[in-house]
Amino acid sequence: MADRYQKLTSRPAGAFVARRLGLPRPAGLERYRPGQPVARGPVVLGGAAGGRMHKTLRELLESAGAEVLPAEAAAGAGPSVPAGSLVFDATGIDSSARLRALYDFLHPRIRALAPCGRVVVVGTPPEHAAGGPGEAAAQRALEGFVRSVGKELRDGSTAHLLLVAPGAEGGLESTLRFALSARSAYVSGQALRVTGTAPVPATADWERPLAGKTALVTGASRGIGAVVAGTLHRDGAHVVCLDVAAQAAGLRAVADRIGGGALELDITAADAGDRLAGYLDEHHGGVDVVVHNAGVTRDKTLGRMSADQWEAVIGVNLTAVETLTARLLDSGLLRGGGRVVCTSSISGIAGNVGQTNYAASKAGLIGYVQAAAPAAAARGVTVNAVAPGFVETRMTAAVPLVIREAGRRMNSLKQGGLPVDVAEAVAYFAAPGSGAVTGQVLRVCGQALLGA
């Protein structure tokens, strides 16, 4: 559904009225197009003394084709255009006093950041800080800092915190590229941990990182699932699209459009695991990426909710994820180096009136991801989740106007997301280069004001 308010305020007269009345003015977001550079405009790279990531960051930025400027390039000096990104290595900050380095780097530059720019801070997971409580406190402070910066940025710019464990530096590239690029247009104020120390395979073609891979997407006949399927296909995967028989026409249309397979299956059926395993074994000999996107809602306040409404939501959204993943892992059909991506929700983080069943299922997915990731890591399999906020779909188009507008505006970007924003986050987790990232829940919500 079109955001008419955003279109209105993008025009001079509408922008003038919004400015005079103190109303939000959502900026147009630059979203990814194939062939687009990773970084938009020059990247200013700085860091605190003693940081361990500066050399790695420079090498990765140059490898991505970015124009890298030293920290000495002050705002308004050097390039004739504003910096597209400000990247800061904060791993050398080992005390609260040294947090001043963040201020000294960003203060003179942040207001000159180009529209749809990026602020990326790279730190150490506090639990991996070797310098005791003082360093752990300083590294934990980075999260509050980045979340606040994200809420201060304007013109579609976003902020990201990348926490890299010692020894995991070689697994940073995919995450850095995602944070800098237009693929992360609707992600801001989030922390991503890069903690895996096993070698990550080199990516030969960043435009098609999934070439030669087989991906499964549940709930693929429409909405976010259909866009996820298309995005994984764009990245080179052969996609098996799965949905219930009632959605057969839409399912076949999506599969035909991307040259994929179509599998009609009720994922809550007692034999669903066996049927899915049989199909994947017969047609593809296994699977590399599993995206658990299928989900249902049966909204009622708890006192009016029937047992069937409770069971339907928990069964599709949570139990089926557990049983199908276990079946694929136990059978060996989910190949080594595989990727599992679950679709949680902001409702699972913040809760929502009339959605006790839905919020429980989506919070349960977060618990599942965090618990399943360590066990799956032994086979090189990662388990992660995306948590969409307000995304423009047919479901949100049916929401009453006032609630819909609140959902759109109550985030740092002052607008709803698009299905492609969720799909880009899924594709990031699905990429072979993201093997050092697991057990993560990435909010795709424009830094919603609800929840953590």
Side-chain angles (χ1 to χ4, degrees):
M1 181 176 181
D3 186 343
R4 295 179 180 177
Y5 176 85
Q6 183 179 14
K7 289 184 177 181
L8 175 64
T9 56
S10 67
R11 298 167 183 159
F16 173 79
V17 172
R19 186 167 51 250
R20 291 297 297 269
L21 296 179
L23 298 174
R25 289 179 291 152
L29 301 183
E30 181 181 0
R31 291 181 167 90
Y32 175 73
R33 301 182 306 278
Q36 187 179 48
V38 173
R40 183 175 181 270
V43 178
V44 178
L45 174 62
R52 59 185 167 84
M53 293 299 303
H54 196 276
K55 180 181 178 182
T56 298
L57 288 169
R58 174 173 287 278
E59 290 173 349
L60 294 179
L61 289 169
E62 291 176 346
S63 174
E67 178 189 359
V68 183
L69 303 175
E72 292 73 23
S80 59
V81 296
S85 299
L86 302 172
V87 178
F88 186 79
D89 172 16
T91 58
I93 297 178
D94 56 8
S95 68
S96 57
R98 298 196 64 201
L99 287 166
R100 171 64 186 266
L102 287 166
Y103 172 88
D104 290 340
F105 175 73
L106 288 170
H107 170 71
R109 300 176 177 87
I110 196 164
R111 287 184 294 175
L113 187 65
C116 296
R118 298 287 185 267
V119 172
V120 178
V121 176
V122 180
T124 301
E127 63 273 20
H128 290 269
E135 182 179 352
Q139 290 297 313
R140 182 62 177 81
L142 300 179
E143 189 166 340
F145 176 84
V146 169
R147 290 188 189 278
S148 296
V149 166
K151 292 179 179 181
E152 293 179 1
L153 292 171
R154 297 291 181 267
D155 300 323
S157 294
T158 57
H160 305 265
L161 175 61
L162 312 183
L163 297 173
V164 184
E169 294 84 358
L172 175 61
E173 185 168 11
S174 178
T175 300
L176 180 64
R177 283 173 172 262
F178 174 74
L180 287 173
S181 75
R183 297 174 189 261
S184 63
Y186 200 61
V187 176
S188 188
Q190 305 305 301
L192 279 166
R193 281 172 158 75
V194 181
T195 57
T197 56
V200 174
T203 299
D205 183 355
W206 286 100
E207 291 290 312
R208 291 175 58 81
L210 295 175
K213 305 291 186 181
T214 298
L216 168 72
V217 180
T218 69
S221 67
R222 58 183 178 175
I224 292 174
V227 179
V228 168
T231 302
L232 297 182
H233 166 70
R234 177 204 69 191
D235 284 0
H238 176 82
V239 184
V240 176
C241 305
L242 182 154
D243 217 318
V244 294
Q247 301 297 332
L251 181 68
R252 176 57 63 184
V254 172
D256 289 348
R257 185 164 64 246
I258 64 174
L263 174 60
E264 298 173 25
L265 181 66
D266 176 0
I267 60 174
T268 65
D271 64 346
D274 291 337
R275 290 179 59 193
L276 175 60
Y279 177 92
L280 292 173
D281 190 20
E282 177 184 355
H283 293 275
H284 304 287
V287 67
D288 302 287
V289 178
V290 176
V291 182
H292 292 292
N293 171 78
V296 297
T297 57
R298 300 289 186 270
D299 294 355
K300 289 285 184 181
T301 54
L302 186 59
R304 291 181 168 84
M305 184 181 297
S306 69
D308 287 345
Q309 290 170 325
W310 176 273
E311 294 291 344
V313 172
I314 298 296
V316 173
N317 297 3
L318 180 57
T319 305
V321 172
E322 298 169 346
T323 56
L324 294 183
T325 305
R327 182 69 175 84
L328 294 175
L329 281 169
D330 293 345
S331 66
L333 287 169
L334 181 56
R335 300 186 180 103
R339 305 284 181 260
V340 177
V341 187
C342 301
T343 306
S344 182
S345 170
I346 287 297
S347 292
I349 297 171
N352 206 5
V353 174
Q355 289 194 323
T356 51
N357 50 1
Y358 185 76
S361 71
K362 295 303 185 178
L365 283 176
I366 294 173
Y368 173 76
V369 163
Q370 293 171 339
R379 296 185 52 210
V381 173
T382 65
V383 185
N384 293 290
V386 294
F390 187 96
V391 176
E392 304 282 356
T393 63
R394 286 193 294 179
M395 183 175 72
T396 54
V399 172
L401 175 63
V402 173
I403 298 175
R404 185 169 67 242
E405 284 302 303
R408 282 171 168 161
R409 310 306 162 207
M410 291 179 64
N411 61 72
S412 296
L413 295 172
K414 304 295 188 289
Q415 60 194 284
L418 299 179
V420 71
D421 298 321
V422 182
E424 294 288 10
V426 170
Y428 153 65
F429 280 137
S434 299
V437 181
T438 193
Q440 302 287 290
V441 179
L442 179 60
R443 291 175 49 173
V444 186
C445 63
Q447 197 179 13
L449 305 184
L450 300 175

